[in-house]
């Protein structure tokens, strides 16, 4: 399966791994890239030295293309923006804001920039700023999310821009990839499915919870803070929602309650205080597999699904 | 003069009452979220033929007016 995204990014399959904070490290990114997808290292809130180390480690694991996800709300974002140029990273995805002010420098350095966008307006703005493609991510995704659903957002973004669109949010298997192509996308980004990759180094409790999770097992918190987050329903997320609905709790108290919760889930598997971010596709994730097995299964299933399209139009 | 034009564009882009848009009105006062602000920025870019890349720092109508005057 070869789409415009494959030739643009130098990858075999049109599957990009989500830049999940605290999760997407060299081990996962390198394995996804080796399997023919595009592995992504999440810079998240991490300091420059940490990200540099992950980039170098990824190069030891793979000689195929990989990217870095820049989290634009990071306190270190200016330094990270320079680091990726120094380290000659070829592909960037961005999240949690607009990368407009860095675009010129990145493009001059020959970097392909692929921002995650939640609306047509932002997609157009990114196209104007020189983005190579955009990732249209619906609210079915895990972590920080936008309002629109993937089904509605992707075709509208495809109409709004002339650059390739990658669909994200709610895609967990080959049927999702096939559907994304039907909506006009040139590929998909998957996060939740890769949480349980064997090469993903998150706490085993996190993986077990994802495999056990069903369709209704995620919820959204943080709307009051202006940046909603989708995560598994746990004592933590339920307590967060209760605090959020308590009008006597200030925004500062809410922020403080959520601080560090993702790290506690990823590193310690802390079921009480950890925030296990996951998308609605968690119910599609049935077992741990290697990144290669995941990617090949998704591609094979997408081909079968697309090959069967005729039966609906006869 | 920039203010009048900017206020008109904001009002039209997001279906707001123009009489409530003053120089010191913030986007938060107008209940505009970050996606709404981008729609406004895009409309301003088109109307004035400019390119704004510091949209993240914009908080009030005045910020936008000053930026337009600098870039025009």
């Amino acid at each position: 399966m070869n789409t415009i995204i494959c030739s643009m990014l130098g990858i075999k399959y049109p599957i990009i791994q989500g830049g999940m904070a605290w999760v997407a490290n060299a081990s996962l990114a390198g394995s996804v890239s080796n399997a023919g997808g595009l592995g992504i290292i999440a810079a998240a809130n991490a300091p420059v030295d940490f990200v540099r180390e992950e980039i170098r480690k990824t190069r030891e694991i793979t000689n195929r293309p990989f990217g870095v996800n820049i989290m634009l709300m990071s306190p270190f974002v200016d330094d990270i923006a320079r680091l990726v140029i120094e380290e000659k990273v070829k592909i960037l995805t961005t999240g949690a804001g607009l990368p407009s002010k860095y675009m010129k420098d990145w493009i001059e350095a020959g970097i392909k920039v692929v921002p995650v966008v939640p609306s047509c307006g932002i997609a157009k703005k990114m196209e104007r700023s020189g983005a190579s493609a955009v990732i249209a991510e619906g609210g079915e995704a895990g972590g920080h999310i936008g309002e629109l659903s993937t089904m509605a957002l992707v075709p509208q973004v495809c109409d709004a821009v002339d650059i390739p669109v990658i669909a994200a949010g709610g895609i967990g298997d080959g049927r999702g990839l096939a559907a994304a192509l039907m909506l006009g996308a040139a590929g998909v980004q998957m996060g939740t499915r890769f949480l349980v990759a064997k090469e993903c180094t998150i706490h085993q409790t996190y993986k077990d919870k994802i495999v056990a999770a069903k369709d209704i097992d995620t919820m959204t918190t943080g709307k009051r803070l202006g940046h909603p987050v989708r995560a598994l329903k746990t004592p933590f997320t339920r307590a967060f929602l209760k605090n959020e609905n308590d009008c006597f709790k200030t925004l500062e108290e809410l922020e403080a309650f959520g601080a560090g919760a993702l790290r506690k889930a990823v590193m310690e598997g802390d079921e009480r205080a950890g925030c296990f971010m996951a998308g609605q596709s968690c119910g599609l994730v049935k077992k741990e597999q290697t990144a290669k097995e995941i990617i090949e299964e998704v591609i094979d299933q997408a081909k079968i699904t697309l090959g069967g399209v005729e039966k609906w139009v006869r | 003069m920039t203010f009048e034009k900017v206020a008109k564009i904001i009002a039209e882009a997001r279906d707001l009452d123009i009489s409530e848009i003053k120089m010191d009105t913030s986007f938060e006062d107008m209940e505009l979220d970050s996606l709404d602000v981008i729609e406004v920025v895009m409309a301003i870019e088109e109307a004035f033929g400019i390119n704004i890349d510091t949209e993240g720092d914009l908080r009030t109508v005045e910020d936008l007016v000053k930026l337009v005057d600098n870039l025009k």
Side-chain angles (χ1 to χ4, degrees), chain A residues 239-262:
Chain A
F240 194 102
L241 195 63
K242 204 170 162 205
N243 281 329
E244 197 174 342
N245 291 335
D246 178 348
C247 60
F248 294 106
K249 287 271 189 288
T250 63
L251 295 182
E252 290 71 26
E253 282 175 299
L254 263 186
E255 289 280 8
F257 186 78
L262 174 62

Side-chain angles (χ1 to χ4, degrees), chain A residues 9 23 26 44 64 74 92 96 98 116 151 160 173 205 233 247 256 262 291 303:
Chain A
L9 303 179
V23 175
R64 295 196 178 176
S74 163
L92 294 178
L98 265 67
V116 174
M151 189 81 172
D173 63 19
T205 302
K233 286 178 190 165
C247 60
L262 174 62
K303 283 182 186 165

Side-chain angles (χ1 to χ4, degrees), chain A residues 152-174:
Chain A
L153 177 65
V154 171
Q156 293 185 63
V157 172
C158 289
D159 287 344
V161 297
D162 292 322
I163 50 177
V165 176
I166 293 151
I171 299 164
D173 63 19

Side-chain angles (χ1 to χ4, degrees), chain A residues 98-101 118-122 124-126 128-129 147-148, chain B residues 34-35 38-39 41-43 45-46 50-55 57:
Chain A
L98 265 67
S100 307
K101 66 173 176 171
S119 72
C120 292
I122 292 183
K124 274 194 217 167
K125 184 102 179 76
M126 292 297 96
R128 275 187 207 173
S129 307
E147 186 80 28
L148 276 85
Chain B
S34 58
L35 304 192
I38 293 304
E39 296 295 327
V41 165
M42 302 266 297
E45 285 182 333
E46 275 160 29
I50 54 173
N51 184 30
I52 296 172
D53 62 3
T54 51
E55 62 280 328
D57 304 331

Side-chain angles (χ1 to χ4, degrees), chain A residues 164-307:
Chain A
V165 176
I166 293 151
I171 299 164
D173 63 19
R175 293 168 296 181
L177 169 56
L181 298 175
M182 294 291 101
L183 293 174
V188 293
Q189 176 182 273
M190 298 197 303
T192 304
R193 179 82 188 254
F194 285 118
L195 282 174
V196 300
K198 290 202 168 128
E199 301 91 341
C200 180
T201 56
I202 60 174
H203 198 280
Q204 189 60 39
T205 302
Y206 202 147
K207 292 188 176 184
D208 294 344
K209 291 179 94 67
I210 295 292
V211 170
K214 301 190 299 289
D215 54 350
I216 59 160
D217 287 342
T218 70
M219 64 192 282
T220 313
T221 57
K223 272 205 164 176
R224 210 178 116 197
L225 293 169
H227 43 88
V229 168
R230 183 178 300 286
L232 293 181
K233 286 178 190 165
T234 59
F236 170 81
T237 43
R238 290 193 179 96
F240 194 102
L241 195 63
K242 204 170 162 205
N243 281 329
E244 197 174 342
N245 291 335
D246 178 348
C247 60
F248 294 106
K249 287 271 189 288
T250 63
L251 295 182
E252 290 71 26
E253 282 175 299
L254 263 186
E255 289 280 8
F257 186 78
L262 174 62
R263 198 194 61 80
K264 281 182 196 146
V266 171
M267 302 292 176
E268 298 155 28
D270 185 335
E271 300 202 47
R272 293 220 72 79
C275 179
F276 296 81
M277 292 187 187
Q280 289 179 338
S281 66
C282 58
L284 294 169
V285 181
K286 308 287 190 210
K287 58 177 189 268
E288 277 189 61
Q289 291 167 295
T290 63
K292 186 169 187 288
E293 286 164 348
I294 292 172
I295 287 175
E296 288 176 356
E297 192 179 290
V298 169
I299 293 293
D300 287 347
Q301 194 186 17
K303 283 182 186 165
I304 291 167
T305 307
L306 291 166

